[in-house]
Amino acid sequence: MILCGNTAIIWVVCTHSSLRTPMYFFLCNLAFLEICYTTVVVPLMLSNIWGAPKPIPLAGCGAQMFFFVTLGSTDCFLLAIMAYDRYVAICHPLHYTLIMTQKLCAQMVACAVGLALVLSLQLTSLIFTLPFCGHRREINHFLCDVPPVLRLACADIRVHQAVLYVVGILVLTVPFLLICVSYVFIASAILRIRSAEGRRRAFSTCSSHLTVVLLQYRFCAVVYLRPQSTSLVDEDRQFALVYTFVTPPPQPADIHPQKQGCQRCPEKGHQ
């Protein structure tokens, strides 16, 4: 379902020229991230469910963690970028096409991927310098996520935990605060719309995106930002299922920002 749904989104956006707008460009990138998420996590998980449990090499565990953290971080950054896109669409409709150019959209996505790569590479390389305990190194999880791997360490992990908190703040807290600021301005602009139909369309534009944001950031924050001593293994695994498989891509907005407010001015005779 994940592969078919997100592939269909990408195919529709790429084959319809009318959908080549910033909003659909970001949606297409988000769908591609979901496909990569599935590729990184699901095959090994299904092979262990349907067949005999297969151990993953230490290098394979590190690679899975690196790609998982990279894709998850990019996802969080992209949700913040989409919030900015909707802020411009609703609060500055006449300047939307001038602000959200193709070059700017590509640069924002490239910056999101680059920052995610740098943060995940530093975090993963730091974690896998630790010695791990026991003859059988088992994690009570369906993927090599950061918290369960840290529990296997035979050394002091306070520095590693501090680095995880810093990365979590940069990936989760900062984008979430930017999203909140964007939606404060969006809500203020929506409340100034006189027509009920206009307010309904504007709210529907943001509802699906807000749903995804709340699901993604809430469960990720519980797993990565709470103290290690208070975390529960089973609870972390259940939360990981939500932000890995359950979170849907936000639906496209039912809005045409470049057309809003472009009414003819009778006094000056121009638009």
Side-chain angles (χ1 to χ4, degrees):
M1 290 176 62
I2 293 171
L3 290 176
C4 292
N6 288 287
T7 302
I9 291 174
I10 296 173
W11 179 79
V12 169
V13 172
C14 292
T15 55
H16 290 73
S17 58
S18 60
L19 300 182
R20 291 171 187 172
T21 61
M23 174 181 61
Y24 288 97
F25 172 74
F26 296 134
L27 185 66
C28 193
N29 281 275
L30 200 61
F32 178 73
L33 285 177
E34 294 295 330
I35 293 175
C36 294
Y37 244 7
T38 306
T39 306
V40 168
V41 176
V42 172
L44 182 62
M45 184 183 72
L46 291 181
S47 68
N48 287 324
I49 291 175
W50 291 340
K54 301 176 181 62
I56 182 172
L58 192 64
C61 184
Q64 187 183 57
M65 179 186 293
F66 169 74
F67 286 112
F68 181 76
V69 174
T70 299
L71 294 169
S73 301
T74 306
D75 198 9
C76 292
F77 294 145
L78 194 56
L79 289 174
I81 292 172
M82 294 177 75
Y84 174 72
D85 171 69
R86 299 185 184 208
Y87 157 75
V88 177
I90 293 175
C91 298
H92 303 283
L94 296 179
H95 299 91
Y96 181 77
T97 54
L98 298 176
I99 297 174
M100 300 302 295
T101 61
Q102 291 184 352
K103 181 179 179 180
L104 178 63
C105 294
Q107 287 175 342
M108 287 193 292
V109 172
C111 288
V113 175
L115 182 57
L117 282 170
V118 171
L119 293 175
S120 60
L121 180 60
Q122 292 180 346
L123 180 63
T124 305
S125 59
L126 182 64
I127 289 174
F128 280 87
T129 57
L130 287 168
F132 296 105
C133 301
H135 176 67
R136 299 187 64 189
R137 300 168 181 173
E138 295 181 351
I139 57 173
N140 187 13
H141 213 287
F142 59 89
L143 76 144
C144 289
D145 204 357
V146 177
V149 172
L150 277 178
R151 292 190 183 97
L152 298 179
C154 293
D156 187 1
I157 61 170
R158 285 178 295 181
V159 173
H160 303 75
Q161 195 70 48
V163 172
L164 177 60
Y165 289 149
V166 172
V167 173
I169 289 172
L170 292 175
V171 172
L172 297 172
T173 307
V174 174
F176 183 73
L177 291 177
L178 294 176
I179 292 172
C180 292
V181 172
S182 297
Y183 274 104
V184 168
F185 288 105
I186 288 172
S188 177
I190 290 175
L191 293 176
R192 291 198 299 268
I193 298 176
R194 295 183 179 180
S195 67
E197 177 65 19
R199 287 195 298 270
R200 186 196 65 79
R201 290 185 62 189
F203 274 120
S204 67
T205 298
C206 307
S207 59
S208 63
H209 181 258
L210 274 175
T211 302
V212 174
V213 166
L214 292 176
L215 283 174
Q216 178 89 355
Y217 286 89
R218 176 189 174 188
F219 290 105
C220 286
V222 170
V223 172
Y224 294 106
L225 293 181
R226 70 178 175 180
Q228 189 79 10
S229 58
T230 62
S231 63
L232 300 175
V233 177
D234 291 338
E235 199 175 68
D236 288 352
R237 189 174 63 248
Q238 293 167 7
F239 290 156
L241 281 172
V242 174
Y243 61 74
T244 305
F245 302 114
V246 178
T247 305
Q251 297 178 357
D254 182 21
I255 191 169
H256 301 281
Q258 67 271 24
K259 297 180 182 179
Q260 288 186 355
C262 295
Q263 300 177 353
R264 185 171 295 278
C265 175
E267 291 83 2
K268 297 183 180 179
H270 63 272
Q271 295 195 7

